[in-house]
Amino acid sequence: MRKYVAFAAIVVGMACVLAGCGDDSKPSPQTTNPATREPKPGSAITARVRIVDLLGNPLANMAPIATRQPNAFDEPFAKGPLSGSDGYSSIVLDTTQWLYVRAWDPATRYFANNYFDVPPGDAPVDKTLEITMAPGATLKAHLSGAGGGPVGNETVGLMMLHPDKGPWWPCEACTDAEGGVVFSPVPPGRFLLRFKAAESGAAELPEVSLEPGGICDLGSVPLS
């Protein structure tokens, strides 16, 4: 079993990536209520999971999940019970699948800062998988159209892209009359950002850093 950190490092040791607005992907409904698929008899192992915050303090009410892709919105293949006050839980993994184990906060206050890559095979998981969670960030912007006027009262898609893993987290919000838009909560870290408005065009921004629990205001962002 090998451990991979899913995000590029920032000051707190985590990173994010933005997924493009032009992507039609949306967070799966199962992300907030993941369904467990029972492995075939004889093809299951149980992994012990501990879920903590950036300071190493245990987090309760977090669900360990396993997905087939490492991004933050792939439909869970399996899930474990919510963590207790000590941060511990467990998850049953299908040994015929290549899975990525991380954690999900049903209240979307926290996002996973790392995941574990578990390849197929019946070798036991002989250590506790510690998943670190970081508080979500807020992203703000004022969008303008090709003529320079505000993109008012439009639905805007945001995709956060990881530099290596590709589309990482999609989000959607509506602008106000002055073109202001707020996406919250979103994963903290370093991402490429893609915006796509329903009628006024799109924009792509290079790497943007979102601090855990912080607010990132991009200011004016022109669409074309």
Side-chain angles (χ1 to χ4, degrees), residues 20-155:
C21 273
D23 195 321
D24 291 333
S25 302
K26 295 288 186 294
S28 167
Q30 288 83 0
T31 300
T32 55
N33 186 22
T36 301
R37 293 171 173 79
E38 292 296 333
K40 296 178 181 178
S43 66
I45 55 174
T46 299
R48 194 178 192 213
V49 178
R50 184 170 187 256
I51 303 169
V52 300
D53 64 17
L54 291 171
L55 298 177
N57 301 311
L59 287 174
N61 300 316
M62 304 288 159
I65 62 173
T67 59
R68 289 195 180 97
Q69 300 294 328
N71 64 43
F73 64 94
D74 191 45
E75 177 184 353
F77 184 83
K79 75 156 190 168
L82 295 178
S83 57
S85 59
D86 57 1
Y88 281 98
S89 183
S90 63
I91 187 169
V92 177
L93 303 175
D94 188 335
T95 60
T96 67
Q97 304 288 326
W98 191 300
L99 296 172
Y100 301 89
V101 178
R102 56 188 173 83
W104 173 256
D105 176 11
T108 62
R109 297 166 300 170
Y110 289 85
F111 292 86
N113 188 55
N114 68 300
Y115 63 83
F116 285 84
D117 182 358
V118 183
D122 57 4
V125 178
D126 56 2
K127 65 176 182 177
T128 299
L129 308 184
E130 186 165 284
I131 308 295
T132 302
M133 305 290 282
T138 296
L139 180 68
K140 296 182 176 183
H142 272 81
L143 306 182
S144 59
V151 176
N153 303 313
E154 283 195 43
T155 300

